Amino acid sequence: MNHCFDIIVIGGGHAGAEAAWAAARIGARTAMVTMSRDAIGRMSCNPAIGGIGKGQMVREIDALGGLMGLATDRAGIQYRILNRRKGPAVWAPRAQCDRDLYAGAVQSLLAETPNLTIIEGLIERIEVEWRHRGTEAQGHKVLVQGVLLKDGRSLSCRAVIVTTGTFLRSLMHTGEQQARGGRIGEGSADGLSANLRELGFELGRLKTGTPPRVHRDSIDYGKLEVQPGDERPAPFSYLNDRISQRQINCWITYTGEPAHDLIRANLHRAPMYSGQITSRGPRYCPSIEDKVVRFADKDRHQIFLEPEGYESERIYCNGISTSLPADVQEPMVRSIPGLESAKILQWGYAVEYDFVPPHQISETLETKRVGGLYLAGQINGTSGYEEAAGQGLVAGINAALALARREPFIMRRDQSYIAVMIDDLITQGTIEPYRMFTSRAEYRLLLRSDNADVRLTPLGREVGLVDDARWDRYQQKQGAVRAFGNWAAAHRHDGLPVAKWFSRTDLDWASNVDWSQWRSTLPVELASLSDDVLDEAATAARIEGKYGGYIERQLREVERFKKMESRRIPADFDFGGLKQLRLEAREKLSSIAPRSIGQAQRIAGITPSDIGVLLIYLESRRRA
Ligand SMILES: Cc1cc2nc3c(=O)[nH]c(=O)nc-3n(C[C@H](O)[C@H](O)[C@H](O)COP(=O)(O)OP(=O)(O)OC[C@H]3O[C@@H](n4cnc5c(N)ncnc54)[C@H](O)[C@@H]3O)c2cc1C
């Protein structure tokens, strides 16, 4: 073992970047080992960050002191708040990014990170030591010891975070053409996949896909609808007041019957339908083949044409992800209005990869089987940069806290979307790529994109990820929000012009307010605040004012929820031995090992009577 680190992160994707960033900044000597330095932070597919449910998670990552929001604000070329006409619980920030600037931002932010070493190489094996029963540490019989690279180098460490994304035993498909690799032009991690099996992990197989890219000069823009960004782009990171880089347009077009007929006539050559691919793909990110089959009654499907960067000649055709053969993709693309003369720069393709069904990890993302081994990102069965990044941050924090013998970092479902995702994964598992939606969060009115800092920045400060600069800014803003809320409440009914503003029913983002005409009505301590802080303060005050009753009700539900979460189940509880439980309940509870009654209740197939048996037994055990 010729190098010694505390933590080694395998992979430089979205999970790996956050994990390495967090572990190193909390103080662990961290190495990130990844196949190619240039591929760190690469966006495999859609060059966009955020969206419904995802945007909320990016704000949470930022509020905790993570990387993704900072990188996005350096690379965002079109910002939009989705669902702005609906309630604040579903407002979702989204940014189209210049994909080269995004990867560059991630790489430079990591380069500035203390305690972090980046090593280029392919990891083949995780070295472990089998502890004799008598010396079990941390309740584990098997502990991480280091990693072995394909070129023979070995690195020792005390924890490993595996963030291998779509690269484990990966296979790409374009029609009948197949090639090994987790992403076009990159390799596959076959050794590590075999090694995880040897270590006793159950592995599954999933698939995802990507659309063709066309040359920007080969599009007839006159036939397309323009889709501009928001007038005032709202930054993702709480550290940024505004976005100053140039913003660009995207465009909209649609498939039609000619494309659908072509697809139907060639389904037998589509890997998903010919049996060439047997694994499941993301339900909510279907290929155009799936759309034509599943929604046969629809005569058109929407496509967003999205530039991949300021200088890039590539346009991403969002909405026609496909693994059809190239000789079918070309006429299919050319049947689309505006793309009649399109020059295809990259064919769409699907990629199949191994993943580790997530009932094998705990809520700290440490595996149950091997101590000090954490999994984060697509390897856990999720799909999406944001889902991966949220897991990477939690894994990086927990690996560093565990080595420092500190309490684990575990958020509840009422605190963050990241917690909802992790809880869903470990209690429900997943048979298809899991992606976040607002509908997955039962407390979504509390988990808004505007209040992620109120919910999480204090937690990030506690674990050591929120530095003084972010903490000072957070406290200043909270002071402004409180002052604005008190003032607004006091003046709401005294006829001041601002009171009219508060009475407006259409609760739009405060950023539509032109503060220059309201400043004169504000008290001096508020009048000096920047537009952006006033926007956030006013939005928070208006949401409290308009939704206060609903928020109160959700907070009461949360109190009931927390009661069940606090009914702990001892880590060594032997569910298998509880004969009064149904066999299915014993098997599921033993496999998932919930840490509370609340979590046990959320496991698919566990009934209220199973919970009743558990409560009676736990009570009698407590008395004994
Ligand atoms: C073709 C394709 C289409 C996709 N379509 C979508 C989509 O439509 N929507 C969506 O939300 N997401 C999509 N994704 C998924 C998205 O890219 C992932 O969700 C996201 O990148 C996952 O992040 P990650 O960090 O888990 O893994 P990745 O971003 O895949 O990063 C994994 C990293 O680990 C490195 N690595 C792997 N194994 C080793 C090893 N043994 N040693 C060293 N380094 C290693 C790789 O080089 C890579 O840098 C797609 C991905 C692909 C490839």
Side-chain angles (χ1 to χ4, degrees):
M1 297 290 182
N2 51 17
H3 274 292
C4 185
F5 294 98
D6 291 325
I7 298 173
I8 289 175
V9 177
I10 304 178
H14 305 280
E18 294 294 341
W21 164 275
R25 287 168 72 90
I26 290 179
R29 278 167 309 146
T30 305
M32 171 198 274
V33 182
T34 192
M35 291 180 191
S36 152
R37 274 173 194 283
D38 299 342
I40 291 175
R42 180 166 292 170
M43 302 169 113
S44 314
C45 194
N46 192 342
I49 293 289
I52 315 282
K54 293 169 174 267
Q56 282 86 335
M57 278 203 288
V58 181
R59 295 280 274 172
E60 291 173 356
I61 291 165
D62 186 70
L64 284 165
L67 183 64
M68 186 170 259
L70 297 170
T72 303
D73 286 349
R74 294 188 187 184
I77 56 179
Q78 191 202 59
Y79 284 74
R80 299 180 67 234
I81 302 291
L82 309 183
N83 283 341
R84 74 163 52 236
R85 289 280 166 215
K86 296 181 182 165
V90 293
W91 294 344
R94 181 181 188 277
Q96 210 57 43
C97 291
D98 178 310
R99 64 199 299 269
D100 294 338
L101 289 180
Y102 183 85
V106 172
Q107 291 165 22
S108 62
L109 285 161
L110 289 176
E112 298 154 15
T113 303
N115 305 321
L116 178 59
T117 307
I118 293 184
I119 299 169
E120 196 167 79
L122 175 66
I123 291 188
E124 284 282 275
R125 294 179 61 75
I126 297 159
E127 304 291 8
V128 297
E129 58 174 332
W130 300 79
R131 288 280 174 92
H132 300 301
R133 280 200 78 67
T135 58
E136 280 172 19
Q138 305 156 324
H140 281 98
K141 295 181 265 313
V142 186
L143 291 178
V144 150
Q145 215 189 19
V147 294
L148 185 65
L149 282 75
K150 191 164 178 84
D151 59 14
R153 283 178 290 173
S154 62
L155 307 171
S156 73
C157 62
R158 297 190 291 151
V160 169
I161 305 175
V162 185
T163 67
T164 48
T166 54
F167 284 76
L168 288 183
R169 204 167 59 91
S170 49
L171 184 62
M172 295 181 283
H173 303 254
T174 299
E176 301 82 358
Q177 308 274 330
Q178 294 180 339
R180 302 218 64 84
R183 198 166 37 199
I184 198 153
E186 295 184 49
S188 173
D190 299 347
L192 191 56
S193 193
N195 175 229
L196 288 169
R197 275 185 214 282
E198 276 163 35
L199 289 172
F201 288 100
E202 175 201 331
L203 267 61
R205 197 100 173 120
L206 290 174
K207 160 259 177 203
T208 187
T210 195
R213 276 57 160 189
V214 299
H215 196 295
R216 65 183 178 186
D217 298 343
S218 66
I219 295 174
D220 178 353
Y221 294 91
K223 293 187 177 167
L224 309 175
E225 272 170 59
V226 181
Q227 186 202 42
D230 287 349
E231 254 165 63
R232 260 172 64 183
F236 264 101
S237 176
Y238 286 98
L239 293 186
N240 295 327
D241 281 334
R242 66 182 57 76
I243 295 300
S244 47
Q245 63 265 27
R246 175 168 59 92
Q247 298 293 289
I248 55 115
N249 289 329
C250 293
W251 290 272
I252 297 173
T253 183
Y254 298 85
T255 60
E257 280 314 315
H260 303 171
D261 294 344
L262 202 63
I263 290 167
R264 277 190 275 267
N266 287 282
L267 271 184
H268 62 289
R269 297 180 61 199
M272 285 298 283
Y273 291 86
S274 63
Q276 190 176 311
I277 293 182
T278 49
S279 45
R280 292 175 79 132
R283 173 193 304 266
Y284 302 105
C285 211
S287 65
I288 188 63
E289 300 93 286
D290 283 342
K291 290 180 187 176
V292 167
V293 171
R294 280 167 43 188
F295 312 111
D297 55 328
K298 283 196 77 174
D299 59 4
R300 68 179 197 166
H301 293 285
Q302 192 172 47
I303 302 169
F304 294 95
L305 298 179
E306 299 164 343
E308 293 206 345
Y310 289 125
E311 308 311 321
S312 170
E313 56 191 20
R314 291 158 52 107
I315 299 287
Y316 178 88
C317 303
N318 187 351
I320 49 171
S321 166
T322 181
S323 53
L324 282 162
D327 60 275
V328 178
Q329 287 192 37
E330 184 151 53
M332 185 260 287
V333 167
R334 295 228 168 116
S335 73
I336 295 167
L339 302 182
E340 294 84 352
S341 323
K343 183 175 166 230
I344 296 178
L345 298 175
Q346 177 190 309
W347 301 114
Y349 67 94
V351 60
E352 276 188 297
Y353 54 92
D354 285 351
F355 82 107
V356 178
H359 63 273
Q360 302 173 84
I361 53 174
S362 70
E363 60 265 304
T364 60
L365 301 184
E366 185 179 25
T367 61
K368 294 171 182 170
R369 177 171 290 279
V370 178
L373 180 60
Y374 296 76
L375 308 181
Q378 195 113 351
I379 189 172
N380 284 332
T382 57
S383 181
Y385 314 129
E386 305 81 355
E387 288 85 348
Q391 295 169 64
L393 193 70
V394 168
I397 293 172
N398 275 306
L401 295 181
L403 295 185
R405 301 237 181 282
R406 290 174 58 189
E407 279 301 299
F409 175 64
I410 297 170
M411 294 180 281
R412 294 187 313 269
R413 293 179 71 92
D414 61 295
Q415 288 177 303
S416 71
Y417 273 92
I418 297 171
V420 169
M421 167 178 62
I422 293 173
D423 189 65
D424 283 351
L425 288 173
I426 61 178
T427 56
Q428 312 283 335
T430 187
I431 53 168
E432 60 192 38
Y434 173 104
R435 64 148 289 167
M436 185 46 77
F437 284 108
T438 45
S439 54
R440 292 190 190 274
E442 60 276 34
Y443 304 117
R444 53 186 164 274
L445 190 52
L446 305 180
L447 305 183
R448 303 186 312 272
S449 57
D450 65 279
N451 71 358
D453 56 345
V454 181
R455 292 184 274 124
L456 301 175
T457 299
L459 299 185
R461 182 70 173 173
E462 233 172 271
V463 297
L465 209 42
V466 166
D467 59 16
D468 293 347
R470 183 181 286 270
W471 185 245
D472 295 347
R473 188 180 166 92
Y474 164 73
Q475 289 189 305
Q476 206 195 52
K477 194 195 108 185
Q478 289 318 302
V481 170
R482 272 193 302 279
F484 190 98
N486 297 338
W487 175 79
H491 290 271
R492 192 153 186 176
H493 305 297
D494 60 7
L496 265 180
V498 71
K500 256 205 320 301
W501 182 66
F502 265 94
S503 60
R504 255 174 52 188
T505 48
D506 64 326
L507 186 72
D508 215 340
W509 266 133
S511 53
N512 288 354
V513 178
D514 171 3
W515 288 103
S516 59
Q517 58 157 316
W518 297 109
R519 270 184 203 287
S520 56
T521 64
L522 297 177
V524 67
E525 69 275 15
L526 293 180
S528 58
L529 294 172
S530 71
D531 283 8
D532 299 89
V533 174
L534 280 174
D535 277 349
E536 296 214 18
T539 302
R542 294 186 73 200
I543 288 173
E544 286 300 325
K546 186 172 170 87
Y547 292 90
Y550 300 104
I551 291 172
E552 273 311 304
R553 197 163 63 212
Q554 279 220 333
L555 290 171
R556 283 196 296 276
E557 284 167 25
V558 165
E559 285 315 307
R560 283 195 293 277
F561 162 74
K562 280 159 68 174
K563 267 207 191 83
M564 294 313 267
E565 291 304 285
S566 62
R567 302 290 301 263
R568 316 293 293 171
I569 300 175
D572 61 352
F573 189 84
D574 174 16
F575 294 99
L578 194 46
K579 298 298 174 231
Q580 298 87 328
L581 276 175
R582 296 176 304 121
L583 182 60
E584 179 198 2
R586 271 183 267 152
E587 284 168 354
K588 288 199 169 169
L589 291 166
S590 304
S591 146
I592 292 171
R595 63 179 171 85
S596 71
I597 290 291
Q599 206 164 50
Q601 282 176 318
R602 291 191 292 277
I603 295 172
I606 297 299
T607 64
S609 65
D610 298 326
I611 297 298
V613 169
L614 215 41
L615 283 169
I616 292 167
Y617 186 80
L618 284 170
E619 185 53 21
S620 59
R621 175 176 155 144
R622 191 184 64 79
R623 290 220 180 110

